[in-house]
Amino acid sequence: MDQTAARPGRRRRPAAPTVQDVAVEAGVSPMTVSRVLSGAAHVRPELRARVEAAVAKLDYHRNENARSLRPGHRSGLVGVTITNIANPYYAELQRGLEEVAARHGRRILVGNSNEDPALERQLVADFLGRRVEGLVVVPSGGPDADHLQPAALGGVPLVLASRAVPGVDVDTVLVDDVRGAREATATLLAEGHRRVAFLGHRLSAFTGQRRLEGFRLAHAQAGVPVVDELVRVGQQDAASAQQALTALLELDDPPTAVFSANNRNTVGAIRAIAARAATGGPPVRLFGFDSFELADLSPVALSVVDHDARELGARAAGLLFERLEGTVPRAPARLVELPVVLREHLRDR
Amino acid sequence: MDQTAARPGRRRRPAAPTVQDVAVEAGVSPMTVSRVLSGAAHVRPELRARVEAAVAKLDYHRNENARSLRPGHRSGLVGVTITNIANPYYAELQRGLEEVAARHGRRILVGNSNEDPALERQLVADFLGRRVEGLVVVPSGGPDADHLQPAALGGVPLVLASRAVPGVDVDTVLVDDVRGAREATATLLAEGHRRVAFLGHRLSAFTGQRRLEGFRLAHAQAGVPVVDELVRVGQQDAASAQQALTALLELDDPPTAVFSANNRNTVGAIRAIAARAATGGPPVRLFGFDSFELADLSPVALSVVDHDARELGARAAGLLFERLEGTVPRAPARLVELPVVLREHLRDR
DNA sequence: CTGTTAGCGCCTTCAG
DNA sequence: CTGAAGGCGCTAACAG
């Protein structure tokens, strides 16, 4: 009915109502309000109704920050740092994470580390300041990782997702990179290819190393030597990958097949191969790690090592909540490696 | 050096250190600690050093929740609800938003509304409880939107992103849907097409309506009647879009061109057209709203109405911070419509 | 330059 | 069944 009842002490923003305000409005004590809000037992129905009416009228929302101050209370927050949310892969990961967190009644605080360890450190510090109950980090992989050490986290559990960090002994969820790369490469070798190129991102990236390892392993097991001049790492985006492969295809003795270690490199490879095919070059066989939408419509024959980013996020959250809910009190750090699936997109044109 | 100095009252988690703890460790009063932490002026260098050492030793992090309790202080949080973060479009949007928020020293709390108005309402309520300073919402578009009304938000500014909500008069950032759809359709009509199909999502989606409006407008301006039997709405995913277009292409008098109103429908359309082409059908011209990676490698000739999701997120955040920082104190609600770019991927095969 | 007091919003503990 | 007191961690305002 009435307009703004001028509460003293307000500046610009009307200042959110407090239990006090609700109590006055309902003509009860703050405690009664609190009890009603906590789904209280033992409150006279009439009072309860009055309180609920007051809450609705004032658009009251319990101050969670104040609440989390009380001993024993939790913030309901999980801190998440991602290296680049614009990468659809990590977007899926976040979704898996958020879903599980929501199911456990938690909210996620998200920050982009942008592959920058300093930023990551800052994000983690900020999250700790906000008293997150746990952390999920896609590590940016700098050399200096003491901000991820359990000691620095004051007992707040951490789960690493997608990449491990050497020397940081915490729960970690990975894709089975080595196996995926090995099987993909083995497939190419079994098809008879003897000059197989490798396209990957910089080796400081954990997954880059593991996938190259799988590549080498497959060669060793097949008794085929790795052609070192065909191994190109350091392409962080599709454009440089395209450039790198284009150069390789112009060699006197070019590769007949390519294993690309990630999404970005696969996209660049497709472009390079499509361009080469347009000029009448011989076909080049491509096998890429990571899938992507429309992979099945690729203009060049393609197989992929597919895996489920959403599942990865969900599992990371799962490990975290096992810690938080005491299901796994102080078990040693666990390592989960998610399976991969080899998929063909050969287009029988 | 020493192990855990057993502080009384701890349960399981060691309980994060407080200013008190730091003060004791440094042999000063809590106030001095507080001053040092606030980049204090007027603290004797020696004390400052002692405090800093204690902070490092204890891995102390200021409790932001307690801090935000003090009058005048802000939470440093912005609440964000997105309808589906796994959609790369919204992932980009989040990135733009997060970037700008970080630049303003704010963190984002992200929730997935999953296109569910009830979930959205719950998220907003939770965010308000955490005393976010502002909200950015990609509205899920249910009928009942009073939880987005300024009155319900208690003065917390809200910016709508990507979609508007009828009756909710707040800052809004949109893509120029009508113009994009109109120009795309006009292009098709100018090329001589007279039977142009429309594929879109359900019309309760705000953008769906606007894009259909543009489609109709172009027809009206060209003096070409819309062929109602070729207008198909309600496809929420690529599979149903493919199915819908396949059916249209089997008509006695099939469309010669298709305008698809979004990403998902375009992907489905590509599949349907590619399949049709494989059976020797006549070529079908395709124009889609939204771009996507590898659009240029589409196996069927394609043009797209491109626009920048990241920019959209950044602009939404920009509007929000203008409110928060008082640059635009209480200006009336503003509407920003971001431009689109028409792009051809015709592949001169 | 440093310390003491008090209170932000909430809820556990204890009285009534 | 309801209310009063006290304290969670922090920092303005006011001594000293």
Side-chain angles (χ1 to χ4, degrees), chain B residues 106-285:
Chain B
R106 309 305 210 284
R107 223 48 93 189
I108 61 172
L109 268 166
V110 185
N112 235 64
S113 70
N114 208 20
E115 299 278 7
D116 176 351
L119 237 175
E120 176 183 296
R121 166 188 304 270
Q122 203 177 308
L123 283 169
V124 168
D126 182 281
F127 291 161
L128 291 176
R130 295 180 188 284
R131 294 300 182 263
V132 295
E133 297 177 43
L135 290 162
V136 177
V137 168
V138 178
S140 61
D144 169 32
D146 41 306
H147 62 294
L148 297 180
Q149 291 297 353
L153 301 178
V156 173
L158 163 67
V159 176
L160 297 177
S162 186
R163 309 171 183 171
V165 178
V168 175
D169 187 37
V170 303
D171 291 346
T172 302
V173 186
L174 302 176
V175 164
D176 197 343
D177 300 293
V178 179
R179 164 186 278 259
R182 180 172 58 70
E183 293 188 355
T185 309
T187 303
L188 297 176
L189 294 175
E191 288 171 2
H193 295 284
R194 286 298 172 268
R195 295 181 61 79
V196 182
F198 179 95
L199 299 177
H201 34 205
R202 59 177 153 67
L203 283 187
S204 69
F206 177 80
T207 51
Q209 279 184 35
R210 303 225 310 164
R211 293 172 191 180
L212 181 52
E213 186 186 332
F215 178 81
R216 292 194 185 283
L217 205 56
H219 278 77
Q221 291 175 345
V224 177
V226 170
V227 187
D228 284 328
E229 65 169 344
L230 299 181
V231 173
R232 286 287 193 278
V233 296
Q235 301 83 239
Q236 296 294 97
D237 55 53
S240 54
Q242 176 176 2
Q243 203 177 339
L245 182 53
T246 300
L248 290 180
L249 293 178
E250 283 166 357
L251 291 177
D252 289 338
D253 194 0
T256 62
V258 179
F259 174 71
S260 66
N262 62 66
N263 214 305
R264 306 294 79 205
N265 275 276
T266 303
V267 169
I270 289 175
R271 293 218 158 94
I273 293 173
R276 190 71 179 176
T279 68
V284 179
R285 175 86 162 96

Side-chain angles (χ1 to χ4, degrees), chain A residues 86-98:
Chain A
N87 183 331
Y89 185 78
Y90 292 118
E92 283 279 358
L93 193 156
Q94 178 181 318
R95 177 156 168 85
L97 235 137
E98 199 267 352

